[in-house]
Amino acid sequence: MTELPARRLLLVHAHPDDESINNGVTMARYAAEGAHVTLVTCTLGERGEVIPPELGHLTGAALGGHRRGELAAAMRALGVEDFRLLGGPGRFADSGMMGLPDNDDPGCLWQADVDRAAELLVEVIREVRPQVLVTYDPDGGYGHPDHIQAHRIAMRAAELAAEAGCPVDKVYWNRVPRTVAEDAFARLRDDLPGLPFEKAAGVEDVPGVVDDERITTEIRGDGGANAAKTAAMRAHVTQITVAEPYFVLSNELAQPVFTTEYYELVRGERSGDGDGRESDLFAGIAGTDGITGTAGIEVAS
């Protein structure tokens, strides 16, 4: 039997690189504190656009295999050892952007039966027993079909796991407060002339931006977690170019690297000082306050 730490965090993402952009600080912080961090990625991003010209020949399965290696490198940077592909490598293919013929591929995630895919995630939940689950909002942050489907699968898995006697105490959605995004883009406009990027994105290009009052929780990075996040983002060479504190995707539009990460608690009890935001995803969960070592559950090894 293997004993898992008292704090156990599960993140569900659509493609390799989503985890580093959205949750790199959070993952690095909790991994460094001794929590068990599990990442489930639903596809290998086989239909992603490739930035470096020297890697432009990578498409389809070859790109997916390459991105799997990038994901492993990113997880080393974040200190995360438990990362998995939903149902195993190649079970669900990248669906492409919304409205493209790729969405009709019977093997893509968008065409997957949500309950059957959720059962695969329930297997992970039953094994790891996470108290906290992080995923996207119902729009997937910005409307990508794989992000929407990852949300549906994660939320359904939480329901099914609870019915099976393995409840997840708290479920969070990735968010960015509107004022934080607006301030960051104002700085970006000032800094743009000195950057290796020609154009800036806008607030509307950032997934999950909502009014500030929707934010329940913020996870602040320190020097180590911040550096781990940017290192993890750099590991996704085909998808991201970083020039701290900014980065671009294949659209070549600069946007900020957020080293404080924000969440909206959608299931579970909120904990904090009065009306203040939580500073810990595990806040209020019995048996986890201030615990960084092992004292958790035993699982078959």
Side-chain angles (χ1 to χ4, degrees):
M1 303 294 285
T2 300
E3 188 175 73
L4 290 176
R7 290 183 167 202
R8 301 177 297 278
L9 169 63
L10 171 64
L11 304 99
V12 179
H13 276 290
H15 316 106
D17 82 355
D18 294 324
E19 79 298 322
S20 299
I21 296 170
N22 287 279
N23 311 113
V25 162
T26 301
M27 296 173 73
R29 168 183 155 176
Y30 283 111
E33 290 179 355
H36 187 91
V37 179
T38 301
L39 170 68
V40 174
T41 306
C42 295
T43 82
L44 284 170
E46 300 93 336
R47 292 188 167 104
E49 297 181 356
V50 175
I51 294 175
E54 64 273 18
L55 296 176
H57 62 282
L58 293 171
T59 59
L63 176 57
H66 190 91
R67 293 188 70 177
R68 188 179 181 189
E70 292 179 344
L71 179 61
M75 292 304 96
R76 287 194 294 271
L78 297 177
V80 172
E81 297 181 357
D82 185 4
F83 54 100
R84 314 167 185 216
L85 292 162
L86 183 65
R91 180 64 177 267
F92 301 106
D94 187 338
S95 307
M97 298 300 288
M98 186 66 83
L100 295 179
D102 297 331
N103 303 164
D104 299 325
D105 178 352
C108 78
L109 188 68
W110 186 239
Q111 293 296 326
D113 180 275
V114 170
D115 274 7
R116 291 181 181 176
E119 287 285 2
L120 296 172
L121 186 58
V122 170
E123 293 176 12
V124 179
I125 294 173
R126 290 172 66 91
E127 175 189 342
V128 179
R129 301 293 182 98
Q131 299 105 331
V132 176
L133 169 63
V134 170
T135 191
Y136 312 104
D137 65 16
D139 187 49
Y142 72 108
H144 192 293
D146 287 337
H147 287 238
I148 294 170
Q149 197 76 321
H151 159 85
R152 293 172 178 171
I153 291 166
M155 299 303 292
R156 181 60 176 145
E159 294 175 352
L160 294 174
E163 293 171 6
C166 300
V168 177
D169 294 271
K170 301 172 85 172
V171 177
Y172 291 94
W173 293 343
N174 293 306
R175 292 298 194 192
V176 178
R178 192 170 305 280
T179 60
V180 169
E182 290 172 347
D183 290 347
F185 276 96
R187 291 192 297 273
L188 170 56
R189 287 191 293 272
D190 291 340
D191 293 344
L192 191 60
L195 296 175
F197 312 129
E198 294 184 1
K199 298 180 181 180
V203 171
E204 66 279 4
D205 296 308
V206 177
V209 173
V210 292
D211 293 339
D212 291 34
E213 57 266 25
R214 297 276 297 272
I215 306 299
T216 62
T217 312
E218 60 181 58
I219 304 299
R220 295 182 177 273
D222 56 18
N226 295 352
K229 173 170 182 165
T230 53
M233 290 175 65
R234 283 194 172 96
H236 292 288
V237 176
T238 61
Q239 306 299 304
I240 304 173
T241 302
V242 179
E244 293 183 66
Y246 305 108
F247 73 101
V248 296
L249 300 170
S250 60
N251 60 12
E252 299 183 349
L253 298 177
Q255 55 182 295
V257 175
F258 293 106
T259 53
T260 297
E261 294 169 347
Y262 300 88
Y263 301 92
E264 179 181 2
L265 177 68
V266 296
R267 291 190 184 178
E269 294 298 320
R270 180 173 175 175
S271 179
D273 263 342
D275 295 327
R277 293 175 182 169
E278 299 174 320
S279 59
D280 179 8
L281 298 177
F282 294 89
I285 299 176
T288 66
D289 290 346
I291 296 175
T292 57
T294 59
I297 63 169
E298 288 188 349
V299 296
S301 56

